[in-house]
Amino acid sequence: MSHDHDHDNELDPFAARVRALETILTRKGLIDPAAIDVIVDTYETRIGPRNGAKVVAKAWSDPAYADWLRRDATAAIESLSYTGRQGEHMQAVFNTEDTHNLVVCTLCSCYPWSVLGLPPVWYKAPPYRSRAVIDPRGVLEEFGLTLPTTKKIRVWDSTAELRYLVVPMRPDGTEGWSEERLADLVSRDAMIGTALARQPA
Amino acid sequence: MSRREANGPAVDLPLGVDAAVFAEPWQAEAFAMTVALHDKGLFSWSEWAQALSAQVKKPGAAIDGHDYYEHWLAALESLLVSKGLAAKADVDAMAEAWERAAHATPHGKPILLENDPRPTR
């Protein structure tokens, strides 16, 4: 809405409908406005890709943890107190010399919230959702990631029940680094598969 | 509709800086209500994904995804209707009450439903 109002307020139609739902559901005792505020705060400020970066850094540093993450990512991630709210299962997919992994949700926007927060706009937009499966190599190039043609790209389509976390390859030259320092090399996009881990400066 | 500038990039697969998690407060509230209703066991997350998918695959969805939370809200409304938790007519009437309340509220004051000059509840 671009026009200004000095004398009265206007709710945009979407805001009015959301308020209407809140009013109706609160009166029915189905939601608690205070709980709604807590959820918003959690997703805006507390949950984000730092969680996933810590999972990856631990897997890089601790072979036993990496093995657990490979076998039962749901439990391995929960052990760090990053718990999914939707009862979803997690699967960690590890990049290797031969294979690069890329995650999409062709259906809607399923995403591993507990470790990455809420998805970026492009992840939810039709071009990525439709093209990641058909032309993953082309999509990665648009992200500035050109992989050798010998490298296989495996695309994982998320669902409401199963979400994927890409474990990028650990960059060379990081031997002996602490998990904290390693985590700084792990971007959100690296855990979706549209980037690699950062190289150490 | 000019609500979309805040969501930024219009190119195919935008790079670089992302928009904030939520572009407007109502988006955050719609998101949080959905999570809260699921926590309460009123629907499964698969039911939710189906409802959302039905909206986002409708023709006319924006290429840049800026209308994502509009689809989200439509999905939530349709799920609440199908579960018998909030009838469309009730939501329509309550939304109009909120819009009347907003108009009747002096600028700078919080918008309260009590400000609706024609309460119908």
Side-chain angles (χ1 to χ4, degrees):
Chain A
M1 308 299 120
S2 51
H3 42 282
D4 293 322
H5 294 274
D6 294 329
H7 47 283
D8 65 3
N9 289 301
E10 188 162 340
L11 283 178
D12 103 30
F14 298 109
R17 292 196 79 75
V18 167
R19 288 207 187 197
L21 289 178
E22 275 182 325
T23 307
I24 290 168
L25 296 169
T26 302
R27 286 179 181 176
K28 290 188 175 184
L30 297 175
I31 57 170
D32 167 9
I36 297 296
D37 289 345
V38 170
I39 293 169
V40 170
D41 179 61
T42 301
Y43 280 95
E44 283 195 317
T45 61
R46 289 172 208 280
I47 299 183
R50 289 289 299 167
N51 292 4
K54 287 179 192 161
V55 171
V56 170
K58 191 167 181 63
W60 283 348
S61 310
D62 177 350
Y65 184 80
D67 188 48
W68 188 18
L69 189 63
R70 199 174 271 114
R71 283 184 289 107
D72 185 354
T74 310
I77 290 169
E78 272 183 12
S79 75
L80 302 180
S81 306
Y82 308 142
T83 310
R85 296 179 78 111
Q86 284 82 40
E88 70 273 25
H89 287 277
M90 288 291 308
Q91 183 172 341
V93 289
F94 289 68
N95 288 348
T96 65
E97 293 291 352
D98 303 322
T99 306
H100 181 85
N101 294 286
L102 179 66
V103 178
V104 65
C105 174
T106 57
L107 180 71
C108 48
S109 50
C110 299
Y111 190 73
W113 293 357
S114 61
V115 278
L116 295 188
L118 293 176
V121 174
W122 55 259
Y123 185 88
K124 304 177 291 192
Y128 181 77
R129 291 184 14 242
S130 58
R131 291 185 42 224
V133 173
I134 303 166
D135 179 23
R137 211 170 284 275
V139 165
L140 291 180
E141 280 177 10
E142 288 179 38
F143 277 89
L145 178 57
T146 304
L147 295 174
T149 49
T150 50
K151 188 167 261 206
K152 275 191 300 187
I153 302 175
R154 191 147 180 206
V155 181
W156 302 84
D157 194 357
S158 312
T159 66
E161 292 86 13
L162 184 58
R163 324 270 176 103
Y164 301 95
L165 178 73
V166 174
V167 180
M169 290 176 71
R170 179 173 176 162
D172 292 334
T174 58
E175 293 72 24
W177 282 31
S178 68
E179 286 182 26
E180 198 169 46
R181 219 173 142 204
L182 287 168
D184 287 339
L185 300 177
V186 186
S187 67
R188 179 198 65 203
D189 287 5
M191 294 180 281
I192 301 175
T194 54
L196 306 178
R198 295 184 193 98
Q199 293 299 315
Chain B
M1 287 287 146
S2 57
R3 314 174 34 267
R4 49 156 284 61
E5 291 84 354
N7 263 344
V11 292
D12 237 18
L13 291 168
L15 306 173
V17 182
D18 286 303
V21 174
F22 302 109
E24 298 182 44
W26 70 262
Q27 299 178 352
E29 285 154 22
F31 167 82
M33 266 194 287
T34 307
V35 172
L37 291 165
H38 170 265
D39 285 354
K40 219 172 161 70
L42 295 169
F43 47 79
S44 72
W45 205 255
S46 297
E47 288 176 298
W48 167 252
Q50 278 171 23
L52 181 58
S53 170
Q55 295 298 328
V56 300
K57 74 181 181 201
K58 284 186 177 172
I63 291 296
D64 64 4
H66 77 264
D67 55 0
Y68 175 74
Y69 278 104
E70 295 169 24
H71 298 309
W72 183 291
L73 176 57
L76 178 58
E77 286 195 39
S78 75
L79 196 52
L80 291 173
V81 167
S82 72
K83 293 279 174 185
L85 298 172
K88 182 168 187 309
D90 294 346
V91 179
D92 289 346
M94 188 63 79
E96 284 169 21
W98 271 108
E99 294 196 25
R100 286 194 302 271
H103 273 293
T105 304
H107 190 70
K109 294 276 198 305
I111 300 169
L112 301 172
L113 193 55
E114 289 73 28
N115 299 349
D116 176 10
R118 286 192 282 135
T120 53
R121 289 146 280 130

